[in-house]
Amino acid sequence: MLGSELSTIWAILIAVAVLLYAALDGFDLGVGILFPFAKDGHERDQMQSAIAPVWDGNETWLVLGGGGLFAAFPKAYAALMPALYLPIFLMLLALIFRGIAFEFRHHGRKTGKRWWTVAFAGGSITAAIAQGLVLGGFIQGVNVVDGKFVGGPLDWLTPFSLLVAAALTIGYALLGGAWLVFKTQGELFERARTWVKRLAILTALAMGAVSLATLGVDQRVTYRWGLTMTSIDWPTFIQLAPLPLVCGLLCFLLWRGADLRHHAAPYLYAVGLFAVGYVGLAVSLWPYIVPFAMTPAEAAAADNALSFMLWGAAPMLPIILGYTAYVYWLFRAKVTDEATDH
Amino acid sequence: MDFDALLLSRLQFAFTIGFHIIFPAFTIGLASFLAVLEGLWLYTKKPVFRNLYLFWVKIFALSFGMGVVSGVVMSYQFGTNWSEFSSQVGSVIGPLLAYEVLTAFFLEASFLGIMLFGWKRVGPKLHFAATCTVAFGTLISTSWILAANSWMQTPQGYDFAADGTMIATNFIDVIFTPSFPTRLAHMVLAAFLTTAMVVAGASAFALLVKRAKPESLTALRMAILMMAIVAPLQLVAGHESGVVAHEYQPAKVAAMEGWWVTRAQQPTLLFGWPDQDAETTHAAIGIPGMGSWFTVGDANAVVKGLDAFKPEDRPPVWITFWAFRVMVGMGIAMVGLGIWGAVVWITKRLERATLYQKALVLAAPSGFIAVLAGWISAEVGRQPWVVYGVLRTADAVSPVPAGSVATSLIFFIVVYAIVFSAGALYILRLMSKGPDTEEPQLKDANEPPGSPLGTGVKSAAVKEG
């Protein structure tokens, strides 16, 4: 296989891993973001039970994203990670608190449990914000010369990255709320429906704001969408216009699904929303793996490394998806009212 | 000493991986122990095995959780702090880490969910299969990470591309480096021993305070069996690993042994104070010839000392020397405790042997100390290279300012101190309570355990204030 084909395949695989991470761990983080809005400790136990058996597998997609980038695109990994040093560590530290809180909340006594409840919510919120800062810093491009990061330690901190961080946090909260609609019943189900309806509107606004702001980060993005400061290239724009329209439609369907008391539909629409937004982003940034500095072919590992890994990934990824689906099937039932009874 | 980004990054890597390794070292052995317990329970239907399983699985869940969260850090740290290393060797060892994620991490994480929360949703056999899968996953993971680290110790099967980065010429050679088999065996045995020491310590404690006697005695016997067999085997594996290291990394072995001069009749030092500047080991007390005999099998053989290497190619000797001695000391203590335990067991005095039980409680952390000391001597002994003889650590660091690294390092120290203290508190609290023997008898032996098993569900009923 040609090197450029291999690097394209790996770019797609890693992009899919990151999207799966967002769709899956996104709802885990979302549940944590919604923790402060729960009625009481019992309701928070139910919320945590709705994700406890699967969060660890979900987070593994983040390890595949990071490890996969190291293995398949070492030069992109080496350029991006130093550029995003501080938000990456903020994310990792926040994920530590989020992750251990699953176990520690059960073992803490009165004060301990209260503290780990705060750690779970705070860790989830901070991780979502940090991931948004990483994403924002990534989209706006990093300062690379000869494959090395040459910018400053706070280059990622801009109004744009803060906007993306806010939007991603809202988006994860939406996924979390929709997951709770799917997994809970009774009072919490009703509360989650209200959350989803509000968050659907907020997400629509946030996505619109990020989309417009993304057009401004680099002229290449503006041209990609057929836009300039003064004119619109209609044939180009019309081709891509369905993306924002579908997003708007999905937000409406989500709101309506929650309103009509559908159980699974809101989560599926929310995932659809993430997927379409993600495609929109990919369209904007194509063909860069380090925006405006490196393409996948330039950043890729040696061809033999890429094909060696493909021999493993080709059988393993379907197997992983298979047993992941099995675990989800096994825990498909709604959380019962005695929430702690896993 | 200059606190630049290089030194801070080294400290941060040492700190984060040192913290991380504690948990896998324990859970690799514990997962296998749980698989054996569940298998014995399914086979014998004796409640003692079920009670032990339910007890140790809670400790497993806590430790595994801490291992997962501290492990995610590692997959990003190569890039954030060691970006030159990443771009240099990504094409060679990157695939090994990718295989680790694909073949082990997902497997462990997904089946852990069934293991901890699936009691009421799958039958006992399927649950047992899930436990075995998690145990198997931990061993696959160990193999890949040891393959990657062994390549960094004894690199082969690589070449340089036109742009100066490394590429693999043969991935089989990259995976199966000369030091891989012995180092893998050494690590797996270390993990099993670490678990055995903890299980022995906790069980001995329960016996001393007269709790859960049948469970604690059973677990203690299993731990002694493991100790008595594996501790001597570990001496052999460690020795073989040392012989390979001597062949491929003679500077490391010279530092471990405190040898400064190339000579025949190299000693084995029992004590000494290596001095890097004076290029000598002060107050050395040792057995002449034993070092040569250990490394080449002949006391009169000439074995390289550190004078065979330029000063800039020598590892920090004091740390390597002492870490190695701490590891060996712990290993010998474990062999001794294994023999002592076997004697007490055979003479049927296990229940009453309070002195032995107290010694076991004291020795409970010995496995952790040995693992940490062993890794310190292996990794510090590899210096000044990150890939031995090929890439210097100083040339591997990221272009990040020292201020950023200092910030992340300080936060790691604070966060890990909190996490570790709380985790240790909860684990010790569980251990001091001992196995729950109040578990109601099952009507049907095939029924999963009656009480909901998550991880400490009973305490979850505690309301938040």
Side-chain angles (χ1 to χ4, degrees):
Chain A
M1 214 180 297
L2 289 172
S4 61
E5 285 173 16
L6 272 169
S7 60
T8 308
I9 290 171
W10 272 104
I12 292 169
L13 281 178
I14 288 169
V16 169
V18 172
L19 177 61
L20 275 171
Y21 171 76
L24 296 173
D25 205 30
F27 73 69
D28 299 329
L29 291 171
V31 167
I33 295 165
L34 293 169
F35 236 45
F37 303 99
K39 191 183 71 183
D40 52 19
H42 175 65
E43 209 165 89
R44 279 188 281 272
D45 286 346
Q46 285 180 299
M47 289 166 78
Q48 216 175 25
S49 295
I51 55 175
V54 292
W55 78 271
D56 192 356
N58 295 343
E59 193 177 289
T60 308
W61 291 100
L62 185 67
V63 182
L64 183 62
L69 193 66
F70 170 40
F73 301 101
K75 289 163 200 164
Y77 180 77
L80 284 170
M81 293 299 143
L84 301 167
Y85 188 95
L86 290 170
I88 291 270
F89 277 110
L90 184 65
M91 169 187 85
L92 294 169
L93 290 163
L95 287 175
I96 289 173
F97 280 114
R98 187 281 296 256
I100 53 158
F102 279 98
E103 286 299 321
F104 285 16
R105 253 188 104 240
H106 286 310
H107 290 283
R109 291 174 187 159
K110 211 168 179 182
T111 326
K113 186 164 185 181
R114 205 182 304 152
W115 162 247
W116 295 118
T117 299
V118 173
F120 184 68
S124 301
I125 294 167
T126 310
I129 291 172
Q131 287 179 7
L133 292 172
V134 168
L135 180 63
F138 169 80
I139 295 171
Q140 70 194 13
V142 298
N143 200 347
V144 173
V145 174
D146 288 336
K148 288 184 178 49
F149 172 63
V150 293
L154 294 174
D155 282 6
W156 49 272
L157 187 61
T158 59
F160 176 74
S161 67
L162 290 169
L163 174 68
V164 176
L168 191 67
T169 310
I170 293 169
Y172 280 167
L174 175 72
L175 280 171
W179 184 255
L180 290 174
V181 167
F182 178 44
K183 294 295 286 185
T184 63
Q185 48 198 353
E187 209 183 326
L188 181 55
F189 171 76
E190 299 300 334
R191 204 184 312 281
R193 277 180 53 224
T194 326
W195 290 336
V196 168
K197 282 160 73 176
R198 288 179 193 161
L199 285 164
I201 298 164
L202 275 177
T203 306
L205 294 173
M207 278 184 92
V210 170
S211 304
L212 289 176
T214 305
L215 291 174
V217 296
D218 194 282
Q219 275 200 338
R220 279 163 279 204
V221 181
T222 330
Y223 284 134
R224 178 64 45 78
W225 288 80
L227 304 169
T228 62
M229 287 305 280
T230 50
S231 66
I232 298 176
D233 172 16
W234 285 104
T236 312
F237 183 70
I238 296 276
Q239 274 180 2
L240 295 172
L243 286 171
L245 291 177
V246 170
C247 278
L249 179 68
L250 282 167
C251 283
F252 171 70
L253 288 172
L254 233 164
W255 184 89
R256 200 162 144 272
D259 197 48
L260 294 175
R261 315 174 64 85
H262 290 166
H263 291 260
Y267 176 69
L268 294 175
Y269 287 134
V271 170
L273 197 58
F274 264 77
V276 177
Y278 199 72
V279 170
L281 195 59
V283 165
S284 302
L285 299 181
W286 182 263
Y288 295 105
I289 193 164
V290 178
F292 322 118
M294 261 184 228
T295 63
E298 288 163 356
D303 287 355
N304 68 340
L306 293 181
S307 68
F308 173 60
M309 285 193 286
L310 201 55
W311 279 104
M316 285 314 299
L317 282 173
I319 292 172
I320 290 167
L321 290 171
Y323 61 65
T324 302
Y326 170 70
V327 171
Y328 273 86
W329 172 250
L330 208 59
F331 294 100
R332 67 195 175 280
K334 283 201 179 244
V335 176
T336 53
D337 221 23
E338 308 86 61
T340 49
D341 183 353
H342 302 300
Chain B
M1 205 180 287
D2 199 12
F3 277 88
D4 55 3
L6 171 65
L7 180 64
L8 288 165
S9 290
R10 289 179 64 186
L11 288 172
Q12 178 170 301
F13 200 87
F15 180 70
T16 51
I17 203 156
F19 181 87
H20 173 65
I21 186 68
I22 294 171
F23 302 102
F26 181 40
T27 52
I28 291 163
L30 199 50
S32 296
F33 181 55
L34 286 168
V36 170
L37 284 174
E38 194 173 12
L40 284 171
W41 173 48
L42 283 180
Y43 184 70
T44 65
K45 315 281 188 217
K46 284 187 186 159
V48 67
F49 292 118
R50 180 200 56 189
N51 294 346
L52 277 173
Y53 183 96
L54 294 181
F55 171 65
W56 284 103
V57 79
K58 288 175 197 156
I59 291 165
F60 179 77
L62 273 166
S63 316
F64 198 89
M66 287 194 271
V68 166
V69 295
S70 58
V72 177
V73 173
M74 305 322 300
S75 68
Y76 284 86
Q77 208 167 201
F78 293 125
T80 49
N81 294 76
W82 304 102
S83 64
E84 286 301 309
F85 167 80
S86 303
S87 57
Q88 278 288 312
V89 306
S91 292
V92 183
I93 61 167
L96 275 53
L97 301 182
Y99 267 92
E100 182 179 17
V101 183
L102 291 169
T103 58
F105 287 168
F106 278 108
L107 202 66
E108 295 172 62
S110 299
F111 285 88
L112 180 75
I114 301 179
M115 191 175 157
L116 298 184
F117 303 96
W119 283 101
K120 293 200 161 172
R121 299 180 207 278
V122 296
K125 284 192 184 131
L126 208 53
H127 190 273
F128 176 51
T131 306
C132 291
T133 307
V134 172
F136 182 54
T138 63
L139 292 172
I140 300 176
S141 172
T142 316
S143 304
W144 285 114
I145 204 71
L146 261 292
N149 185 272
S150 296
W151 183 82
M152 289 161 66
Q153 303 282 353
T154 53
Q156 66 171 24
Y158 67 91
D159 203 347
F160 290 92
D163 64 355
T165 62
M166 282 182 235
I167 51 168
T169 49
N170 183 339
F171 274 106
I172 298 298
D173 290 346
V174 169
I175 296 167
F176 295 96
T177 54
S179 63
F180 174 55
T182 46
R183 297 181 79 242
L184 176 63
H186 198 39
M187 182 65 217
V188 172
L189 294 180
F192 280 24
L193 267 177
T194 300
T195 308
M197 297 315 293
V198 175
V199 171
S203 307
F205 179 79
L207 287 175
L208 283 167
V209 298
K210 308 204 184 322
R211 280 205 196 106
K213 209 168 104 187
E215 284 80 5
S216 304
L217 262 180
T218 304
L220 182 56
R221 288 200 188 102
M222 293 170 81
I224 290 174
L225 190 67
M226 180 64 91
M227 243 186 276
I229 296 171
V230 172
L233 273 180
Q234 180 68 317
L235 288 190
V236 177
H239 172 72
E240 290 304 317
S241 189
V243 171
V244 175
H246 169 68
E247 190 178 342
Y248 293 89
Q249 299 174 286
K252 182 201 274 190
V253 173
M256 282 173 167
E257 301 287 0
W259 297 332
W260 291 95
V261 185
T262 303
R263 53 175 273 197
Q265 290 267 340
Q266 288 282 21
T268 289
L269 299 184
L270 302 176
F271 184 85
W273 201 262
D275 184 336
Q276 196 112 13
D277 297 326
E279 304 199 353
T280 184
T281 300
H282 302 299
I285 304 166
I287 304 162
M290 200 160 154
S292 293
W293 182 72
F294 266 142
T295 42
V296 261
D298 173 8
N300 290 315
V302 175
V303 178
K304 272 185 193 167
L306 287 158
D307 61 0
F309 307 91
K310 283 180 276 180
E312 64 267 28
D313 290 343
R314 294 173 194 165
V317 181
W318 193 91
I319 301 177
T320 314
F321 178 88
W322 273 105
F324 180 67
R325 260 147 202 77
V326 169
M327 175 191 75
V328 174
M330 290 294 141
I332 290 169
M334 287 180 236
V335 172
L337 286 166
I339 296 170
W340 186 1
V343 170
V344 173
W345 183 358
I346 290 165
T347 54
K348 299 193 196 314
R349 287 182 292 129
L350 204 50
E351 264 184 83
R352 291 171 284 124
T354 48
L355 184 64
Y356 180 58
Q357 290 167 4
K358 282 175 188 160
L360 285 179
V361 174
L362 195 67
S366 58
F368 294 115
I369 297 169
V371 165
L372 279 174
W375 272 105
I376 289 170
S377 82
E379 297 294 279
V380 175
R382 190 192 57 220
Q383 303 301 328
W385 307 97
V386 62
V387 179
Y388 192 75
V390 184
L391 180 64
R392 281 175 190 271
T393 311
D395 298 329
V397 72
S398 290
V400 286
S404 294
V405 189
T407 308
S408 58
L409 177 57
I410 288 166
F411 273 95
F412 268 115
I413 291 172
V414 172
V415 169
Y416 280 10
I418 295 170
V419 170
F420 187 84
S421 313
L425 171 73
Y426 296 143
I427 288 176
L428 290 175
R429 207 188 261 169
L430 280 171
M431 282 182 180
S432 70
K433 250 180 73 196
D436 191 355
T437 51
E438 303 292 297
E439 221 28 75
Q441 274 297 322
L442 303 176
K443 279 168 260 152
D444 174 3
N446 282 329
E447 191 186 323
S451 74
L453 190 118
T455 44
V457 177
K458 281 175 186 161
S459 55
V462 176
K463 283 271 179 285
E464 287 166 55

